[in-house]
Amino acid sequence: MTRNRSDESAGSLLMDHKRPLLQRIKMQWVILLMLLPSVILVFVFNTIPLAGLWMAFTKYKIGKGLFTAQFVGLSNFARLFSGGDITHLLSNTLIVNIANLAISTILSIGFAVLLRELPGKLFAKIMQTVSFFPFFISWVIVYSVVQAMMGVNSGAINNILQQAGFIDKGINVLGNEDYAYGLTIFLTQWKSLGYNAILYVAAMASIPIELYEAAAIDGAGRYRRIWYITLPGILPTFSILLIMAVGNILNSGIDFFFVFTNSSNWRKMEMFDYYVYSRGLQKGDFSYATAVGIMKSIISIILLAGANWTTKKVNGHNIF
């Protein structure tokens, strides 16, 4: 009886696909009506603003019409490459984001495995909740905490180290570009570890428990079960997350750098997103900022396609 019902359902779905488009729209108008608000939002906030990309090819001035501005061709892109800014931006962005990607992957998988192997499920849930909490903390609050702990004159840690005789004067972590990369990576990992680990915890939950039981009966220890069952089981999730992370490797966000960048460390803190913000909104050079944004998007698409092709060749998992 159940098999006949499933066959009938599959047959009805096949028949629906063979119906004319207008007839299918008429039959599913309620579902399409529910989808309409999302389509409108995407069109208004994601599709219409694409017209602003024309600014990259003009000498746009605020207050004038977008399509009446003087056409300058690729001169804005030439400025990016001739001034050496592209090398500076790429080096900063790639150093920080590649390090973040590598460290985040290792820590997230390791933390997710640790949560799964903890004997007490209640304790594991508490640990997962505590690790997830920093994700919701604003970067402004994080800056205040770092300032209170590592401020040159009033930081608690600096004062303790000075009183103990380990240092003669306070370490200027927030105002020294030598600490910029390390500070960025450390705070990013602290804030995102719990969120990233949840994705792998969810992937581990889908691994059949029978595999672990069979391996235990065959004499496999905990570490062998992790190596031969857990890690291969999360490989598809790892591949998809890796592809998406490589595609977003030039997206550093602006919140962190808006708060932590100052006149002393800006050379190491200037990433693509903050550079676009500072040139566009702060200095009013909208055309050049748009050209930088377009170039970043082009590089990101190339990286995404390359990562997708590589993972498909290596382990057969890909997005498109």
Side-chain angles (χ1 to χ4, degrees), residues 268-316:
K268 293 291 184 67
M269 285 288 193
E270 196 169 45
M271 311 291 171
F272 263 105
D273 293 325
Y274 186 77
Y275 184 78
V276 171
Y277 162 78
S278 62
R279 289 304 180 103
L281 294 181
Q282 289 185 332
K283 298 182 179 180
D285 196 352
F286 297 101
S287 296
Y288 179 64
T290 305
V292 176
I294 291 176
M295 184 55 59
K296 189 195 80 167
S297 299
I298 292 174
I299 298 174
S300 297
I301 292 172
I302 295 173
L303 291 174
L304 176 65
N308 185 80
W309 180 86
T310 302
T311 53
K312 183 178 180 180
K313 291 293 183 180
V314 172
N315 54 39

Coordinates of all heavy atoms in Angstrom, one line a residue, residues 268-316:
K268 N 48.5 48.3 7.9 CA 48.2 46.8 8.0 C 46.7 46.5 8.1 O 46.3 45.4 7.9 CB 49.0 46.3 9.2 CG 50.5 46.3 9.1 CD 51.0 45.4 8.0 CE 52.5 45.3 8.0 NZ 53.1 44.8 9.2
M269 N 45.9 47.5 8.5 CA 44.5 47.3 8.7 C 43.6 47.6 7.4 O 42.5 47.3 7.4 CB 44.0 48.1 9.8 CG 44.4 47.7 11.2 SD 43.5 46.2 11.6 CE 43.8 46.1 13.4
E270 N 44.3 48.1 6.4 CA 43.5 48.6 5.2 C 43.2 47.4 4.3 O 44.1 46.9 3.5 CB 44.3 49.7 4.5 CG 43.4 50.4 3.5 CD 44.1 51.6 2.9 OE1 45.3 51.6 2.6 OE2 43.4 52.7 2.9
M271 N 42.0 46.8 4.4 CA 41.6 45.7 3.5 C 40.7 46.3 2.4 O 40.4 47.5 2.4 CB 40.8 44.7 4.4 CG 41.5 44.3 5.6 SD 43.0 43.3 5.3 CE 43.7 43.2 6.9
F272 N 40.2 45.4 1.5 CA 39.4 45.9 0.4 C 38.1 46.6 0.9 O 37.8 47.7 0.4 CB 39.0 44.7 -0.4 CG 39.9 44.4 -1.6 CD1 40.8 43.4 -1.6 CD2 39.8 45.3 -2.7 CE1 41.7 43.2 -2.7 CE2 40.6 45.1 -3.8 CZ 41.6 44.1 -3.8
D273 N 37.4 46.0 1.8 CA 36.1 46.6 2.2 C 36.3 48.0 2.9 O 35.6 48.9 2.6 CB 35.4 45.6 3.1 CG 34.9 44.4 2.4 OD1 34.6 44.5 1.2 OD2 34.9 43.3 3.0
Y274 N 37.3 48.1 3.7 CA 37.5 49.3 4.4 C 38.1 50.4 3.4 O 37.8 51.6 3.5 CB 38.5 49.1 5.6 CG 38.7 50.4 6.4 CD1 37.7 50.8 7.3 CD2 39.8 51.2 6.3 CE1 37.8 51.9 8.1 CE2 39.9 52.3 7.0 CZ 39.0 52.7 7.9 OH 39.1 53.8 8.7
Y275 N 38.9 49.9 2.5 CA 39.4 50.8 1.5 C 38.3 51.4 0.6 O 38.3 52.6 0.3 CB 40.4 50.1 0.6 CG 41.1 50.9 -0.4 CD1 42.2 51.7 -0.1 CD2 40.8 50.9 -1.8 CE1 42.9 52.5 -1.0 CE2 41.4 51.6 -2.7 CZ 42.5 52.4 -2.3 OH 43.1 53.2 -3.3
V276 N 37.3 50.6 0.2 CA 36.2 51.1 -0.6 C 35.4 52.1 0.2 O 34.9 53.1 -0.3 CB 35.3 49.9 -1.0 CG1 34.0 50.4 -1.6 CG2 36.0 49.0 -2.0
Y277 N 35.2 51.8 1.5 CA 34.4 52.7 2.4 C 35.1 54.0 2.5 O 34.5 55.1 2.4 CB 34.2 52.0 3.8 CG 33.9 53.0 4.8 CD1 32.6 53.5 4.9 CD2 34.8 53.4 5.7 CE1 32.2 54.4 5.9 CE2 34.5 54.4 6.7 CZ 33.2 54.8 6.8 OH 32.9 55.7 7.8
S278 N 36.4 54.0 2.8 CA 37.2 55.2 3.0 C 37.3 56.1 1.8 O 37.1 57.3 1.8 CB 38.6 54.9 3.6 OG 39.3 54.2 2.6
R279 N 37.5 55.4 0.6 CA 37.6 56.2 -0.6 C 36.2 56.7 -1.1 O 36.1 57.8 -1.6 CB 38.2 55.4 -1.7 CG 39.7 55.1 -1.5 CD 40.5 56.4 -1.4 NE 41.9 56.2 -1.2 CZ 42.8 56.4 -2.1 NH1 42.4 56.7 -3.3 NH2 44.1 56.2 -1.8
G280 N 35.2 55.9 -0.9 CA 33.9 56.3 -1.4 C 33.1 57.2 -0.5 O 32.8 58.3 -0.9
L281 N 32.9 56.8 0.7 CA 32.0 57.6 1.6 C 32.8 58.7 2.4 O 32.3 59.8 2.6 CB 31.4 56.7 2.7 CG 30.4 55.7 2.1 CD1 29.7 54.8 3.2 CD2 29.3 56.4 1.3
Q282 N 34.1 58.4 2.7 CA 34.8 59.4 3.5 C 35.4 60.5 2.6 O 35.4 61.7 2.9 CB 35.9 58.8 4.3 CG 35.4 57.9 5.5 CD 36.5 57.4 6.4 OE1 37.6 57.1 5.9 NE2 36.2 57.2 7.6
K283 N 36.0 60.1 1.4 CA 36.7 61.0 0.5 C 35.8 61.4 -0.7 O 36.2 62.3 -1.4 CB 38.0 60.4 0.1 CG 39.0 60.2 1.2 CD 40.3 59.6 0.7 CE 41.2 59.4 1.8 NZ 42.6 58.9 1.4
G284 N 34.7 60.8 -0.8 CA 33.7 61.2 -1.9 C 34.2 60.7 -3.3 O 33.6 61.2 -4.3
D285 N 35.1 59.8 -3.4 CA 35.6 59.4 -4.7 C 34.8 58.1 -5.1 O 35.3 57.0 -5.1 CB 37.1 59.1 -4.7 CG 37.7 59.0 -6.1 OD1 36.9 59.0 -7.1 OD2 38.9 58.9 -6.2
F286 N 33.5 58.3 -5.5 CA 32.6 57.2 -5.7 C 33.0 56.4 -6.9 O 32.8 55.1 -6.8 CB 31.2 57.8 -5.8 CG 30.7 58.5 -4.6 CD1 30.6 59.9 -4.6 CD2 30.2 57.8 -3.5 CE1 30.2 60.5 -3.4 CE2 29.8 58.4 -2.4 CZ 29.7 59.8 -2.3
S287 N 33.4 57.0 -7.9 CA 33.8 56.2 -9.1 C 34.9 55.3 -8.9 O 34.9 54.1 -9.3 CB 34.1 57.2 -10.3 OG 33.0 58.0 -10.6
Y288 N 36.0 55.8 -8.3 CA 37.1 54.9 -8.0 C 36.8 53.8 -7.0 O 37.2 52.7 -7.2 CB 38.2 55.8 -7.4 CG 39.5 55.0 -7.1 CD1 40.2 54.4 -8.1 CD2 39.9 55.0 -5.8 CE1 41.4 53.7 -7.7 CE2 41.1 54.2 -5.4 CZ 41.8 53.6 -6.4 OH 42.9 52.9 -6.1
A289 N 36.0 54.1 -6.0 CA 35.6 53.1 -5.0 C 34.7 52.0 -5.7 O 34.9 50.8 -5.3 CB 34.8 53.8 -3.9
T290 N 33.9 52.4 -6.6 CA 33.1 51.4 -7.3 C 34.0 50.5 -8.2 O 33.7 49.3 -8.3 CB 32.0 52.1 -8.2 OG1 31.3 53.0 -7.4 CG2 31.1 51.1 -8.9
A291 N 35.0 51.1 -8.8 CA 35.9 50.3 -9.6 C 36.7 49.3 -8.7 O 36.9 48.1 -9.1 CB 36.9 51.2 -10.3
V292 N 37.1 49.7 -7.6 CA 37.8 48.8 -6.6 C 36.8 47.7 -6.2 O 37.2 46.5 -6.2 CB 38.3 49.6 -5.4 CG1 38.9 48.6 -4.4 CG2 39.3 50.6 -5.8
G293 N 35.5 48.0 -6.0 CA 34.6 47.0 -5.6 C 34.3 46.0 -6.7 O 34.2 44.8 -6.5
I294 N 34.3 46.5 -8.0 CA 34.1 45.6 -9.1 C 35.3 44.7 -9.3 O 35.1 43.5 -9.5 CB 33.8 46.4 -10.4 CG1 32.5 47.1 -10.3 CG2 33.9 45.5 -11.6 CD1 32.2 48.0 -11.5
M295 N 36.5 45.2 -9.1 CA 37.7 44.4 -9.2 C 37.7 43.3 -8.2 O 38.1 42.2 -8.4 CB 38.9 45.3 -9.2 CG 40.2 44.5 -9.4 SD 40.2 43.6 -11.0 CE 40.0 44.9 -12.1
K296 N 37.3 43.7 -7.0 CA 37.2 42.7 -5.9 C 36.3 41.6 -6.2 O 36.5 40.4 -5.9 CB 36.9 43.4 -4.6 CG 37.0 42.5 -3.3 CD 36.3 43.0 -2.1 CE 34.8 42.7 -2.2 NZ 34.1 43.0 -1.0
S297 N 35.1 41.9 -6.8 CA 34.1 40.9 -7.1 C 34.6 40.0 -8.2 O 34.3 38.8 -8.2 CB 32.8 41.6 -7.6 OG 32.3 42.4 -6.5
I298 N 35.3 40.6 -9.2 CA 35.8 39.7 -10.3 C 36.8 38.7 -9.7 O 36.8 37.5 -10.1 CB 36.5 40.6 -11.4 CG1 35.4 41.5 -12.1 CG2 37.2 39.8 -12.4 CD1 36.0 42.5 -13.0
I299 N 37.7 39.2 -8.9 CA 38.7 38.3 -8.3 C 38.0 37.2 -7.5 O 38.4 36.0 -7.5 CB 39.7 39.0 -7.5 CG1 40.5 40.0 -8.3 CG2 40.7 38.1 -6.7 CD1 41.4 40.9 -7.6
S300 N 37.0 37.6 -6.7 CA 36.2 36.6 -5.9 C 35.6 35.6 -6.7 O 35.5 34.4 -6.4 CB 35.2 37.4 -5.0 OG 35.8 38.3 -4.1
I301 N 35.0 36.0 -7.9 CA 34.3 35.0 -8.8 C 35.4 34.0 -9.3 O 35.1 32.8 -9.4 CB 33.6 35.7 -9.9 CG1 32.4 36.5 -9.3 CG2 33.1 34.8 -11.0 CD1 31.7 37.4 -10.3
I302 N 36.5 34.5 -9.7 CA 37.6 33.6 -10.2 C 38.0 32.6 -9.1 O 38.2 31.4 -9.4 CB 38.8 34.5 -10.7 CG1 38.4 35.3 -11.9 CG2 40.0 33.6 -11.1 CD1 39.4 36.3 -12.4
L303 N 38.2 33.1 -7.9 CA 38.6 32.2 -6.8 C 37.5 31.2 -6.5 O 37.8 30.0 -6.2 CB 38.9 33.1 -5.6 CG 40.1 33.9 -5.6 CD1 40.2 34.8 -4.3 CD2 41.4 33.1 -5.7
L304 N 36.2 31.6 -6.5 CA 35.1 30.7 -6.3 C 35.1 29.6 -7.3 O 34.9 28.4 -7.0 CB 33.8 31.5 -6.3 CG 32.5 30.7 -6.1 CD1 32.5 30.0 -4.8 CD2 31.3 31.5 -6.3
A305 N 35.2 30.0 -8.6 CA 35.2 29.0 -9.7 C 36.4 28.0 -9.6 O 36.3 26.8 -9.8 CB 35.2 29.7 -11.0
G306 N 37.6 28.6 -9.2 CA 38.7 27.7 -9.1 C 38.6 26.8 -7.9 O 39.0 25.6 -8.0
A307 N 38.1 27.2 -6.8 CA 37.9 26.3 -5.6 C 36.8 25.3 -5.9 O 37.0 24.1 -5.5 CB 37.5 27.2 -4.4
N308 N 35.8 25.7 -6.6 CA 34.7 24.7 -7.0 C 35.3 23.6 -7.9 O 35.0 22.4 -7.7 CB 33.6 25.4 -7.7 CG 32.4 24.5 -7.9 OD1 31.6 24.2 -7.1 ND2 32.3 24.1 -9.2
W309 N 36.1 24.0 -8.9 CA 36.7 23.1 -9.8 C 37.7 22.1 -9.1 O 37.7 20.9 -9.4 CB 37.4 23.8 -11.0 CG 38.0 22.9 -12.0 CD1 37.4 22.4 -13.1 CD2 39.4 22.5 -12.0 NE1 38.3 21.6 -13.8 CE2 39.5 21.6 -13.2 CE3 40.5 22.7 -11.2 CZ2 40.7 21.0 -13.5 CZ3 41.7 22.1 -11.5 CH2 41.8 21.3 -12.7
T310 N 38.5 22.7 -8.2 CA 39.5 21.9 -7.5 C 38.9 20.9 -6.6 O 39.3 19.7 -6.6 CB 40.4 22.8 -6.7 OG1 41.0 23.8 -7.6 CG2 41.5 22.0 -6.0
T311 N 37.9 21.3 -5.8 CA 37.2 20.3 -4.9 C 36.5 19.2 -5.7 O 36.4 18.1 -5.2 CB 36.3 21.0 -4.0 OG1 35.3 21.8 -4.7 CG2 37.0 21.9 -3.0
K312 N 35.9 19.6 -6.8 CA 35.2 18.6 -7.6 C 36.2 17.5 -8.2 O 35.9 16.3 -8.2 CB 34.5 19.3 -8.8 CG 33.7 18.3 -9.7 CD 33.0 19.0 -10.8 CE 32.2 18.1 -11.6 NZ 31.5 18.8 -12.7
K313 N 37.4 18.0 -8.6 CA 38.4 17.1 -9.0 C 39.0 16.2 -7.9 O 39.3 15.0 -8.1 CB 39.5 17.8 -9.8 CG 39.1 18.5 -11.1 CD 38.8 17.4 -12.1 CE 38.5 18.1 -13.5 NZ 38.2 17.1 -14.5
V314 N 39.2 16.8 -6.7 CA 39.8 16.1 -5.6 C 38.9 15.1 -5.0 O 39.3 13.9 -4.8 CB 40.4 17.1 -4.6 CG1 40.9 16.4 -3.4 CG2 41.5 18.0 -5.2
N315 N 37.7 15.5 -4.6 CA 36.8 14.6 -3.8 C 35.4 14.5 -4.4 O 34.6 13.8 -3.8 CB 36.8 15.1 -2.4 CG 36.3 16.5 -2.2 OD1 35.5 17.0 -2.9 ND2 36.9 17.2 -1.2
G316 N 35.1 15.1 -5.5 CA 33.8 15.0 -6.2 C 32.7 15.8 -5.6 O 31.6 15.7 -6.0

